[in-house]
Amino acid sequence: MIVSDLSTAGVSRRLGKGQLFLRTGPFISRIQTSIASIQSGIALLYAGFPVYDDAPFADFHVALERPPNLRRWFRPQVTFKFDGWAPFKPLPLNQAFAMFEWGMNWCVVNHAHRYLVLHAAVVERNGCAMIMPAPPGSGKSTLCAALVSSGWRLLSDELAVISLATAGLVPLPRPVGLKNQSIHVIHQRYPDATIGKAAHDTTKGTVAHMQPPAESIARQQEEARPAWVLFPKYTPGHALELQRYSKAQSLLKLVENAFNFTVLGKQAFDCLGQVIDDSDCFTLEYSSLDEAVSQLNALEIPAPCA
Amino acid sequence: MHETVWGLAAGARLHWREWEGEVVLFHENSANIHQLSPVAVTALRLLMDEPATNATLVQKTASCLDIDVDAPLQDDIDQLLSQLRRLGIIQAVQP
Amino acid sequence: MRVEKPLVVQVVNNIDLLFSLNLAQWDLFIRQARRANLLSRFSVTLRDQGRLDQVPEQVRTHLESECHLADQQKRVIEWEIGRIREALDTVDLPVIFLKGAAYVAADLPAATGRRFSDVDILVPKSRIREAEQALFLHGWFAEKLDPYDQQYYRTWMHEIPPLRHAQRRTVIDVHHAIVPETMRLHPDPEKLIADTYATGDDERLRVLAPADMVLHSAAHLFLDGEYQNALRDLVDLDQLLRHFSVQEGFWDALYRRSVELELSRPLYYTVCYLVKLLETPVPASLREKLQLDAPGGFAGFLMEKLFDEAVTIHHPSCSGRFSGIARWVLYVRGHYLRMPLYLLVPHLLRKAFMGNPETA
């Protein structure tokens, strides 16, 4: 059963009772919420994901609630709870869906040390994965959305999940977060893309999410080999420029973007060393998405992945 | 101060990766990662083989890399040793 | 009425129980154990027994994750032990570790998968400024506290405000006594320091004598007013007692020392709970002697009820109807024992105003 097999009312009812078990990548989350914007967001943006009415075991038990205080009346808020405990402060209610997404990331980052987890987008073609670690504002998510709308498979938009045992990339597809102008850009370029309701005035500006392609969800159990590490940078008016980047520097940057490098210690160092060994490393400066996508489509597959 | 003999800190665990001549050092005990210059790599490798004073390490590094012993090299080694000490990678040892 | 013990307590008593759980019971167990801060301990124990691969795949994700966290913690603490030793060596002070860090330093079974956030050390009161100065020069700074909290720590608590390392973010709590100065119980820190022993060849790395280690842990659990980790602390005590009781004359020494240090009351509570909850093998003779120190009548009954409520895991599946209130009353009681009465009100009011008393 997938989410879209259920009616919108059916999704809401299950969420209200805390009876919705959603599978994303290797994880099952039991979600409880009565907040309408999250219910409709899940129904729309997670439409293709597997869902269970009752699973004996859930990796994460999460709830999104409106805190029971006076603010509820004049400035409504939302709290994210992990098994009854609120790890962070409430946010304004209009950011509820974004908070759900951030909370789901938090669950993985804090409880999945079986994997090395990086702050990076991961896309794949022909079984070869491209890891794109990048700071906010670098256009990483826009490029990721453009690539997955042009035939690349989405492994993850925010979290690169790497198996310590195989150094393979584990898919964790979820809706792609878009910020500010990129919401409009993606909407214009790909009119068929399904984009959810925008939340304004978040700490990250205006945020909306794009539904991942059906094929990415259908193949969410299928790992990919690391092949490229790409540091993209969007610079308006800049001519396309793809350059080889030092492997040692690339490793240092991956370490900077790793959430649990210090937790895993030597295993993380070995694993990232393997990723860098097997990957070609580049920086990409671009202003035209078309040019960037066709440049990346033309990348040669490195020998270890071929 | 310059009579101090330096050696690897007790229990220190170091791991290396090298690509195209660039070296990344991982200090497992502190989970810190460092990029080392060729001079630093050479000096640290020598120190791992055998404890040394600042002066002897300068000599050995110079002969290993076939470069001259000069003031900049001495400054580099002094600075490297004090950094490695602060990072807990090396310590003063009994000669 | 006999209430069934929470699943996580049953597993403390018998880890083999895990292999008869179905997936739904595993789900409950992981949530309870995580909340009680005990999941790492069970995970590492299973791994050390080579039995992680007998666990269902979904469950193993979480147990392996906890093993990684426990390994990291051990690495960090071993590293910090060396750094603290180096700092205090400059003022010619040995390092006396307390609680979690002591279990790691002395390589005790209680260290297995033990999670903790601070390194606690004991320094003679007369040398506390020197110690603080030396740690400061090695990168540890007092956390920003408002002047009220600063004064509270320095005047009434048994520690100076926590010191956080500027780069590594590790936190040291420097104590000059094992209970606050204003408590009506006064275990003499000089006696404790005199009986410390070196954990290995290095005379500068020390921990409390076995009986003192147990008494400190007991005092911490039953006098500090913090009960979030009560079950975890009881498991520590269970492990310490099982480990030390192999030593000839340990139980007698423990009783004598508890009287000498005025800590027989918390030891009584500890023993009650350990026997009741974790089936710790405590000899009847010790329990009889401690019985003489038991609180009587209604106070005793009320106290037991409160502790019963407090010493359970704070997970929705375990909370009784009133346990929130019970924990708050215990918090008040912890502070009452700690301070002369007139000090009680301002601090509590302020804490209640600034946040939830359960987490303050």
Side-chain angles (χ1 to χ4, degrees), chain A residues 277-290:
Chain A
D277 274 344
D278 291 353
S279 301
D280 288 342
C281 305
F282 297 101
T283 57
L284 176 74
E285 205 161 355
Y286 73 97
S287 57
S288 151
L289 268 182
D290 280 331

Side-chain angles (χ1 to χ4, degrees), chain A residues 27 30 56-61 82-85 111-114 164 262-265 267, chain C residues 23-24 26-27 30-31 34-35 57-62 64-65 68-69 72 75 315-316:
Chain A
F27 307 113
R30 181 169 75 95
F57 186 90
D59 292 282
F60 311 122
H61 296 257
F82 175 77
D83 202 13
W85 169 60
H111 302 97
H113 301 301
R114 183 183 216 184
L164 286 176
T262 54
V263 173
L264 299 174
Q267 290 177 78
Chain C
L23 266 181
W26 268 109
D27 185 286
I30 284 184
R31 297 163 71 190
R34 179 174 279 147
R35 187 58 56 88
E57 178 64 19
Q58 297 110 299
V59 174
R60 209 159 78 209
T61 297
H62 296 273
E64 282 185 11
S65 190
H68 285 299
L69 287 169
Q72 176 202 24
R75 255 188 339 258
H315 186 266

